[in-house]
Amino acid sequence: MTAQPRIAPLFDALLAEKGSDLHMSIGHPPMGRIRGELTPLREAPLTPPEMESLLFDIVNPDQKKQITEEMDLDFAYSYGTKARFRANYFYKATGLAAVFRTIPSKVLTLTDLNTPEVVRKLAERRSGLVLVTGPTGSGKSTTLAGMINHINQTRHAHILTIEDPVEFVHESIKAQVTHREVGPHAISFATAIRSAGREDPNVILIGELRTNETMKLALQLASFGVLVFATVHTNSAPATIDRIVNSFPADEQPAIRGMLAESLAGIVAQQLVRTADGKGRVAALEILIGGSAIASMIREGKVFQIASKMQAGQSQGMQTLDMHLEKLVAAGTIAPEAALDKAQDRESFAKTLQRIKPDFVLSEDLKA
C-alpha cells in the first residue's frame, strides 16, 4: 500500500469542504477557497521546513530542480482516486509558496452544469473557433471539459487536447481522445499546435491562447475545417475579439480580422457568482454566436456594435452577461448585490434591479 503524502490532511480538509483551491504561504495557516472565500484550514501557520517537506514530498527530482532553479513550477498531481490538482509552486517575499487548484475527478456533463442549449450546439459544430473566456477561477476548464465530454459521448472523432498541464482526463468513449502536455510531450504550445494539423484531429482543445503565434495557428486550424476550443483571459465577448486583434502588429490586423470573422463559431464568457443561499457558485454566461452580421462587424472593426447585436440575438441563443445576471436574480438563484458586483454596466444594471426587485436599496454612488 502506497504511503499517504504528507500534504494529505490538507487535501482532505479542502475536499471535505468542497473547496476549489489550497493556498500555502510561509507564516500563514494553509487557506482553502471555499464557496469563493479564503478560509483557514487550521490555526498553525506554515513554517519554512514544513513547507519544503510538504511540497517536495510530491514532486520528482526534475520538478524539484525546476522550482529551485527557475523559481516556478506548474504540474498536475493525482491524489489517489480522490482528486487531481493543478499545482503551481513559486517564490514570494516570505519564501516558497504554492496554490493547488482542484480538478474534479468526475467530468461534469453539460446537463450537470445546467448550460444553455446553445453551448451544446457549439460543441456539435464540425469546424470553427470556440473561445471560452473569463478571469482565473471562473470555471472555463470545467465548461470546456463538459463540451469535450459531449463530443466524446456522441461522435466518432479524434479529439486532441494540448494543455499545460493536462487537467481533465477523458477516457475514450465514442471518440478517440489524445492528451498532450506542454513540457513532457511538446516544447511549447506553438510546436504542439503546428504538429496537431498532421495528427488528423477533428477537434482540438488548446489550454490557453497566450501569444499571437498560438492565436494565428488556432485561427488557421479552425479555417481548415477543424473544431478548435481554446481559453482566453478576458471578461467579455467584445473584449476577447479586441484582445486577439490587438495582440498583432497594425499591419497584420486586417488579415487577422478576416481570419477571425471567417472562423469564429462562438464565444462563451463566464463569471462565477455566489448563490443566494451561500452554499455554492453558479456560472453567469455571456454568449456570442458567430454569423454573417458578427463577421462583418469584426472585419470592419466595429466591435463596439457587438453588445447590441447580442441583446437582439436572443432567438439564436445570444445574451450579454448582464442579461443572464438579470435572469439569475429574477429566479432567486443569486442575490442582487452579487449580480451588481459582476455586472458590466453597473449603472444600467442598478436600474434593472430596482425594476425586478423594488425592495433593493442602491448604494449612494449608484444613485443618479
Side-chain angles (χ1 to χ4, degrees):
M1 191 174 143
T2 317
Q4 285 273 69
R6 294 178 192 131
I7 201 169
L10 295 179
F11 285 160
D12 288 338
L14 182 75
L15 295 171
E17 293 283 354
K18 297 185 169 59
S20 62
D21 299 81
L22 170 63
H23 288 246
M24 298 175 67
S25 184
I26 290 167
H28 300 274
M31 308 284 274
R33 187 170 292 283
I34 296 155
R35 291 176 287 283
E37 301 290 326
L38 278 178
T39 311
L41 296 177
R42 71 176 202 199
E43 283 185 23
L46 287 155
T47 62
E50 184 187 15
M51 181 71 96
E52 289 203 0
S53 159
L54 293 172
L55 297 188
F56 292 154
D57 184 36
I58 59 170
V59 296
N60 62 38
D62 286 345
Q63 290 170 324
K64 184 175 178 181
K65 188 167 182 264
Q66 185 179 330
I67 180 62
T68 48
E69 289 182 3
E70 297 178 29
M71 320 291 276
D72 192 59
L73 173 68
D74 282 303
F75 66 101
Y77 177 73
S78 290
Y79 179 42
T81 55
K82 294 182 183 178
R84 275 166 55 80
F85 292 96
R86 187 176 72 201
N88 176 234
Y89 289 10
F90 55 99
Y91 281 89
K92 57 187 217 177
T94 53
L96 184 61
V99 176
F100 292 86
R101 159 72 48 84
T102 312
I103 304 168
S105 44
K106 178 182 179 288
V107 176
L108 296 174
T109 66
L110 293 177
T111 308
D112 293 335
L113 294 169
N114 202 20
T115 48
E117 178 62 23
V118 68
V119 175
R120 185 178 280 102
K121 285 183 179 162
L122 281 173
E124 289 169 355
R125 293 276 303 244
R126 287 299 192 261
S127 66
L129 178 65
V130 176
L131 298 170
V132 178
T133 77
T136 301
S138 59
K140 298 185 294 291
S141 300
T142 305
T143 297
L144 276 171
M147 294 170 92
I148 294 293
N149 176 64
H150 179 68
I151 299 168
N152 191 13
Q153 301 266 9
T154 56
R155 196 178 154 195
H156 294 288
H158 179 204
I159 301 169
L160 171 63
T161 81
I162 301 167
E163 298 170 89
D164 178 20
V166 169
E167 294 194 31
F168 290 90
V169 176
H170 298 267
E171 302 294 336
S172 298
I173 303 170
K174 266 198 173 179
Q176 172 70 40
V177 186
T178 303
H179 291 291
R180 295 196 73 198
E181 185 167 320
V182 174
H185 309 141
I187 296 167
S188 67
F189 272 107
T191 53
I193 300 166
R194 262 195 219 95
S195 66
R198 299 188 289 274
E199 288 155 26
D200 189 32
N202 302 99
V203 179
I204 298 177
L205 164 66
I206 301 167
E208 191 184 337
L209 297 180
R210 293 180 185 169
T211 63
N212 60 10
E213 185 183 18
T214 55
M215 288 173 188
K216 196 171 195 174
L217 290 165
L219 285 167
Q220 285 169 346
L221 282 169
S223 67
F224 295 159
V226 176
L227 180 61
V228 179
F229 292 98
T231 68
V232 186
H233 286 282
T234 45
N235 288 345
S236 71
T240 304
I241 293 166
D242 282 336
R243 162 74 63 85
I244 291 173
V245 173
N246 294 334
S247 67
F248 289 87
D251 60 329
E252 288 183 49
Q253 289 181 8
I256 294 301
R257 282 185 196 284
M259 289 172 77
L260 189 55
E262 197 66 38
S263 61
L264 185 67
I267 299 175
V268 178
Q270 64 182 59
Q271 302 264 0
L272 284 183
V273 189
R274 185 188 272 262
T275 52
D277 62 11
K279 290 180 180 171
R281 291 186 292 170
V282 64
L285 307 178
E286 174 162 286
I287 300 171
L288 170 69
I289 303 298
S292 54
I294 296 293
S296 46
M297 286 174 193
I298 295 171
R299 235 182 244 109
E300 293 161 21
K302 295 180 178 173
V303 175
F304 59 89
Q305 294 179 354
I306 286 177
S308 57
K309 183 68 187 167
M310 284 192 288
Q311 286 168 345
Q314 288 185 70
S315 60
Q316 297 154 266
M318 290 203 254
Q319 63 188 22
T320 64
L321 181 71
D322 291 4
M323 285 162 70
H324 196 202
L325 288 169
E326 182 185 336
K327 285 178 199 163
L328 292 169
V329 171
T333 309
I334 61 175
E337 297 80 2
L340 187 58
D341 190 44
K342 299 286 185 184
Q344 287 172 341
D345 183 344
R346 292 188 76 220
E347 284 188 24
S348 169
F349 195 74
K351 294 188 179 87
T352 302
L353 283 177
Q354 287 190 303
R355 191 184 74 245
I356 59 173
K357 296 278 181 186
D359 54 344
F360 178 64
V361 180
L362 275 185
S363 60
E364 287 302 316
D365 63 322
L366 285 166
K367 286 180 183 171

